[in-house]
Structure formats: C-alpha cells, structure tokens
Amino acid sequence: MASQGLSVDGERQHGQDVRTANVTACVAISNIVKSSLGPVGLDKMLVDQVGDVTVTNDGATILKLLEVEHPAAKLLVELAEQQDEEVGDGTTSVVILAAELLRRANELVRSRIHPTTVIAGYRLAMREACKYIKSTLATPIDKLGREALVNAAKTSLSSKILGSAESDLFANMAVDAVMATKSSRKEDGETYPLSSIHMLKAQGKSASESQIMQGYVLNAPRASQSMPTSVSPAKIALLGFDLRRAKMKMGVTVTLNNPEEINKIQEKEVDLTAQRIQTVLNAGANVILTSKGIDDSALKYFSGSNAIACRRVTPKDMRRIAKATGATLQLNMADLNGDESFDPSMLGHAEEVYEDKIRDDTVIMIKGPKLQPINTVLLRGPNEMMCDEMQRSLIDATSVVKRILDSNMVVAGGGAIEAAVSTHLENFATMLGSREQLAIAEFAEALLVIPKTLAVNAAKDATDLGKFSPAVDAVV
C-alpha cells in the first residue's frame, strides 16, 4: 500500500522520436562549424555575456564558447575538445564527420536495421579504413624531408588568419620551433614536447615581424633597478611562498601591555623574511623567482648578493622553467627538524639569465637551460584579438608537425584521403553478405562529407563529387 503513494515526476521518452531529436541536435552543431572548414572557410564572430568578442574559425574554440545544453550535442562539443587535446587540429572535421555518421545511422535504423548491426558495421568499416590508410595511402616522412613538414603546417594554417601572405613564415616557424624541442631519452626515444614551446604575445608591428627567440622569455621585470641585468652561469630558485613581512593570520590577536614591544615584533617580522632570503642565497641561488610578493625593504639583500629577483611569476611559467632547468618548486622551507632550510639540489641551472626589452615591456630571458631545450615564439600583431587568433593558429600548426614526427607518416590532404577510403569501403562492402554491408556503405558515403564541404565553401559544385571518387582513388 505504501508504494501506491509514491510518484515519480518527469516524462520518459523513447523510440525513434528521441533518436531523431538527438541526431537533429548534433547536425545543428555541425552546421554551425561547417562553413568554417577549409582554406576558404569563414570566420565566426562570437560575443559572450560580458561583451568580449572572439573572431575565429577554430572548431574547438567556437564550440567551447557556445552554451550548448542538449546532452547529445554536448557529446560533439566534448569530442572537439578531446581532439584538440590529443591531436591539436582537425576539430572541425571530426564534428562534421561524426554528425554525418549519426545522420546516416538514423536513416538505417528507420529502415528497420537494428542499431547493433549499424554499430558493428561502423566498427568494421573503421578498422578497414585505418588498415587501408596505413598500408596504402600513408607515406613515410623520411622519404619526403623537411618540405613535407612545412607543407603540412601550411595546410593547417591555410584555414586560419595566418594562411595568406604569412603562411611561409609561420609554417617554417612552426617546424623550427618543434624541431628545436627534440629530446632523446632511452625510455621514450625521440620526443618533441610541445610544452617546451613558449608563446609570448606583444601588440604592435605587423605579423610578419614575429620571430623565434632561443631561450625562455619571462614576462616579468627585475624587482629592483639596483639588481644586476645579467647573471652567468645562473642558479635558479623557484619559490611558491611570500618574501614579504611575516604577518599574523586572520583571527589571531596579540595583546601587548608595553607599547615598546610593538617595535620588537615588527623587527622580528623583518628579520624572519631576511633569514629566509639569506638561506636561499647561501644555497648558491643567484636568480630567485617567486609566485608571491617581495617586500621593498628586502630587495637590498638581493642587490647586495648580485642576484636577480622577480615577483608574481605565473604558476604556468614556474612549471615550464622548472621542467627545463631542473629546478624544484619550493612551497615552503620547513625541514624535518622544524627549522627552515633550502637544499642546493633544488636549484635549476641555465647558461645565462639577463634582462631584455620587447616593445615597451621589460622581460627576463633564460638561455641555455640544463635539462631541456626551450624556445619562445614572439607573436606580433596590431591588436589583442589578432594576437589571440595567431596563437591558436600556431598551436594547431605545431601540433600537426609534432604528430607527423611522432608517427613518421603523412597522407594527402584536401579531401583526397576521404574520397579514396570511401571508394575502397564501397568495394569492401560488396564482398560481405551480412547486413553490416549496408552500414559500411553508409560509412563510405559519410566520408565524402569532408570533400563536399570543402567544395561548397570554395563556391564549387559538389554534386558530382561521387562520380570522380574512383579517379581520385587511382591517382592516390
């Protein structure tokens, strides 16, 4: 009897109507980014609630700024984000292809083909497509040399804001930046860590005056003009705590009966900070970077020891410098005995650290880090919006170059691979006698959405594209 009083609010939907609604939402997301695909794709202008304007044709950026609420459409947004994290480029292509596969799968289900059969056919087509690409269409990069890397970077940049006059400059810059990060380890082999490429945006001048600078450019000036402008060799200490006067924590109250004791407390606060700084300097550090502040009264200790100190360095910069120089970020100085100490093994090493000037800003340059080569790409542009899009474009290009170097394989672009694989899968489907061949044939047709979209965006006629697929297959 108790169960009769229970009620569950809400409405349960199932069946073909729900599938169609989910596919429609995914296709709507695909249509938003479809016009931005290819070298003649259009940019999107997005304005958020605050009024900030973003102009881009990067699929992941567009979808990230959309406020998508539909659960099925959110899966495509997450797909683009995952593609951006894993590969770095191709975010628009995967969204368009996924939406087309869903649309065609929905049509098969409407034709009384069971969803399990469709899924099995899609998986079989995927494995066959990957096998065909690796065995027939992929070309080892060793045979093609540097020119293939530059062309791949150009392909990535062709659909971006840098794909016009500056494509040669930035394609070579992307290749040089990735090649400069090459590191060899016994356990990993040759690797190209993109985290070793630091990008610094500086407004002013034209995009053609962007350049690669050897070393790490830290966008933070010296804490005092009395400090030396150059230190060589550099021993770098990375601190994650304050070098300001030690103060009582919130809620702690000290009651004094004698006013003269106030001066002693203030002197002790200054002495504690001075002892900390002296402990770091005694360990041999001559470059001190902290993510917190430094008291003005404490700057004299650094100047007297011919050391460079920078305050309020961003955590991201601290992590990159630590990885390159071998330094360890110290969050406190407490040891097991309850005292404060600083171990010299926590220091990072570099050939030289000196102050330089970019535009009107003073920066610190770290050259010749001990563990890992690192470089900085200096991006110049007329405004912040242009610099942001340049950074996104160059990140995509460097990611493409890294993937090619890691896999040592490259394939043709411009929709040629999709057309060739489509023709191969159509022939492959005819060899099967099961119902999966219907799903494989639809998978093959879905692949043609990439070359068709490229043709439509270029104001060409894409209606007869299917007729030329065998010719494309023969050429490739």
Side-chain angles (χ1 to χ4, degrees), residues 234-262:
K235 296 180 179 179
I236 303 169
L238 303 180
L239 310 179
F241 52 85
D242 243 332
L243 291 179
R244 289 178 289 188
R245 281 196 316 173
K247 296 180 180 179
M248 293 291 181
K249 294 184 178 180
M250 294 290 291
V252 177
T253 305
V254 177
T255 304
L256 298 175
N257 296 323
N258 187 357
E260 295 179 358
E261 298 293 328
I262 296 177

mmCIF file of all heavy atoms in Angstrom, residues 234-262:
data_model
loop_
_atom_site.group_PDB
_atom_site.id
_atom_site.type_symbol
_atom_site.label_atom_id
_atom_site.label_comp_id
_atom_site.label_asym_id
_atom_site.label_seq_id
_atom_site.Cartn_x
_atom_site.Cartn_y
_atom_site.Cartn_z
ATOM 1 N N ALA A 234 73.707 30.779 -14.333
ATOM 2 C CA ALA A 234 72.570 31.069 -13.476
ATOM 3 C C ALA A 234 72.174 29.850 -12.668
ATOM 4 O O ALA A 234 72.111 28.734 -13.188
ATOM 5 C CB ALA A 234 71.390 31.545 -14.325
ATOM 6 N N LYS A 235 71.925 30.071 -11.373
ATOM 7 C CA LYS A 235 71.367 29.051 -10.486
ATOM 8 C C LYS A 235 70.017 29.572 -10.016
ATOM 9 O O LYS A 235 69.948 30.566 -9.299
ATOM 10 C CB LYS A 235 72.300 28.786 -9.305
ATOM 11 C CG LYS A 235 73.648 28.206 -9.718
ATOM 12 C CD LYS A 235 74.539 27.951 -8.519
ATOM 13 C CE LYS A 235 75.873 27.362 -8.935
ATOM 14 N NZ LYS A 235 76.766 27.141 -7.766
ATOM 15 N N ILE A 236 68.966 28.886 -10.436
ATOM 16 C CA ILE A 236 67.614 29.425 -10.327
ATOM 17 C C ILE A 236 66.865 28.745 -9.185
ATOM 18 O O ILE A 236 66.799 27.517 -9.106
ATOM 19 C CB ILE A 236 66.846 29.232 -11.651
ATOM 20 C CG1 ILE A 236 67.621 29.888 -12.794
ATOM 21 C CG2 ILE A 236 65.437 29.793 -11.568
ATOM 22 C CD1 ILE A 236 67.097 29.550 -14.174
ATOM 23 N N ALA A 237 66.284 29.573 -8.298
ATOM 24 C CA ALA A 237 65.434 29.085 -7.209
ATOM 25 C C ALA A 237 63.993 29.484 -7.500
ATOM 26 O O ALA A 237 63.714 30.653 -7.782
ATOM 27 C CB ALA A 237 65.891 29.674 -5.872
ATOM 28 N N LEU A 238 63.086 28.503 -7.448
ATOM 29 C CA LEU A 238 61.665 28.749 -7.696
ATOM 30 C C LEU A 238 60.919 28.618 -6.373
ATOM 31 O O LEU A 238 60.910 27.549 -5.767
ATOM 32 C CB LEU A 238 61.115 27.744 -8.718
ATOM 33 C CG LEU A 238 61.817 27.709 -10.077
ATOM 34 C CD1 LEU A 238 61.166 26.664 -10.975
ATOM 35 C CD2 LEU A 238 61.771 29.068 -10.748
ATOM 36 N N LEU A 239 60.312 29.697 -5.923
ATOM 37 C CA LEU A 239 59.660 29.741 -4.616
ATOM 38 C C LEU A 239 58.160 29.953 -4.777
ATOM 39 O O LEU A 239 57.723 30.761 -5.598
ATOM 40 C CB LEU A 239 60.250 30.870 -3.765
ATOM 41 C CG LEU A 239 61.786 30.921 -3.662
ATOM 42 C CD1 LEU A 239 62.222 32.101 -2.821
ATOM 43 C CD2 LEU A 239 62.327 29.611 -3.081
ATOM 44 N N GLY A 240 57.405 29.226 -3.975
ATOM 45 C CA GLY A 240 55.955 29.375 -4.009
ATOM 46 C C GLY A 240 55.409 29.992 -2.745
ATOM 47 O O GLY A 240 54.233 29.804 -2.417
ATOM 48 N N PHE A 241 56.245 30.742 -2.032
ATOM 49 C CA PHE A 241 55.792 31.383 -0.793
ATOM 50 C C PHE A 241 56.194 32.853 -0.787
ATOM 51 O O PHE A 241 56.995 33.304 -1.606
ATOM 52 C CB PHE A 241 56.366 30.662 0.437
ATOM 53 C CG PHE A 241 57.857 30.486 0.412
ATOM 54 C CD1 PHE A 241 58.714 31.480 0.842
ATOM 55 C CD2 PHE A 241 58.408 29.295 -0.048
ATOM 56 C CE1 PHE A 241 60.082 31.315 0.811
ATOM 57 C CE2 PHE A 241 59.778 29.113 -0.080
ATOM 58 C CZ PHE A 241 60.614 30.124 0.354
ATOM 59 N N ASP A 242 55.632 33.584 0.173
ATOM 60 C CA ASP A 242 55.827 35.028 0.251
ATOM 61 C C ASP A 242 57.203 35.379 0.791
ATOM 62 O O ASP A 242 57.716 34.722 1.704
ATOM 63 C CB ASP A 242 54.764 35.644 1.167
ATOM 64 C CG ASP A 242 53.863 36.609 0.415
ATOM 65 O OD1 ASP A 242 54.342 37.187 -0.564
ATOM 66 O OD2 ASP A 242 52.686 36.760 0.802
ATOM 67 N N LEU A 243 57.792 36.433 0.225
ATOM 68 C CA LEU A 243 59.018 37.021 0.780
ATOM 69 C C LEU A 243 58.718 38.410 1.308
ATOM 70 O O LEU A 243 59.543 39.309 1.258
ATOM 71 C CB LEU A 243 60.113 37.061 -0.287
ATOM 72 C CG LEU A 243 60.663 35.694 -0.716
ATOM 73 C CD1 LEU A 243 61.722 35.852 -1.796
ATOM 74 C CD2 LEU A 243 61.233 34.924 0.468
ATOM 75 N N ARG A 244 57.494 38.571 1.791
ATOM 76 C CA ARG A 244 57.113 39.811 2.465
ATOM 77 C C ARG A 244 57.134 39.591 3.970
ATOM 78 O O ARG A 244 57.319 38.475 4.442
ATOM 79 C CB ARG A 244 55.720 40.259 2.006
ATOM 80 C CG ARG A 244 55.696 40.764 0.578
ATOM 81 C CD ARG A 244 54.317 41.147 0.124
ATOM 82 N NE ARG A 244 53.458 39.975 -0.061
ATOM 83 C CZ ARG A 244 52.250 40.037 -0.593
ATOM 84 N NH1 ARG A 244 51.754 41.200 -0.977
ATOM 85 N NH2 ARG A 244 51.528 38.937 -0.720
ATOM 86 N N ARG A 245 56.919 40.648 4.719
ATOM 87 C CA ARG A 245 56.969 40.545 6.173
ATOM 88 C C ARG A 245 55.967 39.520 6.677
ATOM 89 O O ARG A 245 54.821 39.482 6.238
ATOM 90 C CB ARG A 245 56.641 41.893 6.819
ATOM 91 C CG ARG A 245 57.805 42.869 6.808
ATOM 92 C CD ARG A 245 57.568 43.999 7.765
ATOM 93 N NE ARG A 245 56.211 44.544 7.699
ATOM 94 C CZ ARG A 245 55.735 45.453 8.533
ATOM 95 N NH1 ARG A 245 56.493 45.906 9.507
ATOM 96 N NH2 ARG A 245 54.517 45.918 8.404
ATOM 97 N N ALA A 246 56.429 38.650 7.584
ATOM 98 C CA ALA A 246 55.545 37.640 8.163
ATOM 99 C C ALA A 246 54.481 38.319 9.011
ATOM 100 O O ALA A 246 54.799 39.106 9.909
ATOM 101 C CB ALA A 246 56.361 36.665 9.014
ATOM 102 N N LYS A 247 53.236 38.050 8.706
ATOM 103 C CA LYS A 247 52.132 38.673 9.442
ATOM 104 C C LYS A 247 51.303 37.604 10.142
ATOM 105 O O LYS A 247 51.305 36.443 9.752
ATOM 106 C CB LYS A 247 51.250 39.479 8.480
ATOM 107 C CG LYS A 247 51.962 40.656 7.826
ATOM 108 C CD LYS A 247 51.025 41.400 6.888
ATOM 109 C CE LYS A 247 51.738 42.574 6.221
ATOM 110 N NZ LYS A 247 50.851 43.302 5.287
ATOM 111 N N MET A 248 50.581 38.048 11.153
ATOM 112 C CA MET A 248 49.683 37.146 11.856
ATOM 113 C C MET A 248 48.536 36.735 10.930
ATOM 114 O O MET A 248 48.066 37.532 10.118
ATOM 115 C CB MET A 248 49.115 37.828 13.106
ATOM 116 C CG MET A 248 50.159 38.111 14.164
ATOM 117 S SD MET A 248 50.770 36.592 14.909
ATOM 118 C CE MET A 248 51.926 37.277 16.099
ATOM 119 N N LYS A 249 48.090 35.504 11.067
ATOM 120 C CA LYS A 249 46.984 35.031 10.253
ATOM 121 C C LYS A 249 45.683 35.666 10.707
ATOM 122 O O LYS A 249 45.586 36.207 11.814
ATOM 123 C CB LYS A 249 46.890 33.511 10.321
ATOM 124 C CG LYS A 249 48.075 32.800 9.693
ATOM 125 C CD LYS A 249 47.889 31.298 9.710
ATOM 126 C CE LYS A 249 49.062 30.608 9.030
ATOM 127 N NZ LYS A 249 48.903 29.130 9.034
ATOM 128 N N MET A 250 44.704 35.586 9.844
ATOM 129 C CA MET A 250 43.386 36.168 10.154
ATOM 130 C C MET A 250 42.800 35.511 11.410
ATOM 131 O O MET A 250 42.820 34.283 11.558
ATOM 132 C CB MET A 250 42.432 35.956 8.978
ATOM 133 C CG MET A 250 42.832 36.714 7.725
ATOM 134 S SD MET A 250 42.631 38.487 7.886
ATOM 135 C CE MET A 250 40.856 38.609 7.930
ATOM 136 N N GLY A 251 42.291 36.346 12.297
ATOM 137 C CA GLY A 251 41.663 35.832 13.509
ATOM 138 C C GLY A 251 42.609 35.722 14.688
ATOM 139 O O GLY A 251 42.158 35.460 15.807
ATOM 140 N N VAL A 252 43.928 35.933 14.457
ATOM 141 C CA VAL A 252 44.904 35.858 15.549
ATOM 142 C C VAL A 252 45.101 37.259 16.128
ATOM 143 O O VAL A 252 45.380 38.215 15.405
ATOM 144 C CB VAL A 252 46.255 35.305 15.056
ATOM 145 C CG1 VAL A 252 47.276 35.292 16.184
ATOM 146 C CG2 VAL A 252 46.060 33.905 14.501
ATOM 147 N N THR A 253 44.918 37.393 17.412
ATOM 148 C CA THR A 253 45.039 38.693 18.089
ATOM 149 C C THR A 253 46.123 38.608 19.150
ATOM 150 O O THR A 253 46.182 37.642 19.915
ATOM 151 C CB THR A 253 43.701 39.090 18.751
ATOM 152 O OG1 THR A 253 42.664 39.071 17.765
ATOM 153 C CG2 THR A 253 43.799 40.485 19.356
ATOM 154 N N VAL A 254 47.000 39.621 19.172
ATOM 155 C CA VAL A 254 48.065 39.698 20.172
ATOM 156 C C VAL A 254 47.832 40.955 21.012
ATOM 157 O O VAL A 254 47.704 42.067 20.477
ATOM 158 C CB VAL A 254 49.455 39.750 19.512
ATOM 159 C CG1 VAL A 254 50.541 39.909 20.580
ATOM 160 C CG2 VAL A 254 49.698 38.496 18.692
ATOM 161 N N THR A 255 47.741 40.788 22.333
ATOM 162 C CA THR A 255 47.516 41.920 23.244
ATOM 163 C C THR A 255 48.829 42.257 23.939
ATOM 164 O O THR A 255 49.473 41.389 24.541
ATOM 165 C CB THR A 255 46.440 41.572 24.291
ATOM 166 O OG1 THR A 255 45.247 41.181 23.604
ATOM 167 C CG2 THR A 255 46.137 42.780 25.159
ATOM 168 N N LEU A 256 49.253 43.509 23.832
ATOM 169 C CA LEU A 256 50.514 43.971 24.423
ATOM 170 C C LEU A 256 50.233 44.990 25.514
ATOM 171 O O LEU A 256 49.420 45.904 25.340
ATOM 172 C CB LEU A 256 51.402 44.600 23.349
ATOM 173 C CG LEU A 256 51.841 43.683 22.195
ATOM 174 C CD1 LEU A 256 52.603 44.483 21.159
ATOM 175 C CD2 LEU A 256 52.695 42.539 22.722
ATOM 176 N N ASN A 257 50.912 44.832 26.656
ATOM 177 C CA ASN A 257 50.798 45.807 27.748
ATOM 178 C C ASN A 257 51.834 46.906 27.629
ATOM 179 O O ASN A 257 51.638 48.022 28.119
ATOM 180 C CB ASN A 257 50.953 45.093 29.101
ATOM 181 C CG ASN A 257 49.831 44.097 29.341
ATOM 182 O OD1 ASN A 257 48.688 44.363 28.961
ATOM 183 N ND2 ASN A 257 50.152 42.961 29.964
ATOM 184 N N ASN A 258 52.951 46.595 26.928
ATOM 185 C CA ASN A 258 54.033 47.557 26.793
ATOM 186 C C ASN A 258 54.137 47.987 25.329
ATOM 187 O O ASN A 258 54.432 47.164 24.457
ATOM 188 C CB ASN A 258 55.343 46.922 27.253
ATOM 189 C CG ASN A 258 56.477 47.940 27.287
ATOM 190 O OD1 ASN A 258 56.300 49.099 26.918
ATOM 191 N ND2 ASN A 258 57.645 47.490 27.740
ATOM 192 N N PRO A 259 53.917 49.269 25.006
ATOM 193 C CA PRO A 259 53.996 49.738 23.607
ATOM 194 C C PRO A 259 55.362 49.521 22.973
ATOM 195 O O PRO A 259 55.465 49.417 21.751
ATOM 196 C CB PRO A 259 53.669 51.230 23.714
ATOM 197 C CG PRO A 259 52.925 51.380 24.998
ATOM 198 C CD PRO A 259 53.497 50.354 25.924
ATOM 199 N N GLU A 260 56.428 49.447 23.785
ATOM 200 C CA GLU A 260 57.757 49.262 23.226
ATOM 201 C C GLU A 260 57.924 47.882 22.568
ATOM 202 O O GLU A 260 58.794 47.687 21.719
ATOM 203 C CB GLU A 260 58.813 49.434 24.337
ATOM 204 C CG GLU A 260 58.855 50.850 24.896
ATOM 205 C CD GLU A 260 59.887 50.974 26.003
ATOM 206 O OE1 GLU A 260 60.514 49.936 26.321
ATOM 207 O OE2 GLU A 260 60.055 52.079 26.535
ATOM 208 N N GLU A 261 57.069 46.924 22.971
ATOM 209 C CA GLU A 261 57.149 45.586 22.401
ATOM 210 C C GLU A 261 56.713 45.556 20.930
ATOM 211 O O GLU A 261 57.052 44.630 20.197
ATOM 212 C CB GLU A 261 56.278 44.615 23.205
ATOM 213 C CG GLU A 261 56.697 44.441 24.648
ATOM 214 C CD GLU A 261 58.042 43.736 24.751
ATOM 215 O OE1 GLU A 261 58.326 42.895 23.879
ATOM 216 O OE2 GLU A 261 58.802 44.035 25.695
ATOM 217 N N ILE A 262 55.934 46.579 20.505
ATOM 218 C CA ILE A 262 55.457 46.611 19.113
ATOM 219 C C ILE A 262 56.637 46.688 18.158
ATOM 220 O O ILE A 262 56.689 45.998 17.130
ATOM 221 C CB ILE A 262 54.500 47.796 18.893
ATOM 222 C CG1 ILE A 262 53.241 47.622 19.761
ATOM 223 C CG2 ILE A 262 54.119 47.931 17.417
ATOM 224 C CD1 ILE A 262 52.270 48.768 19.667
#
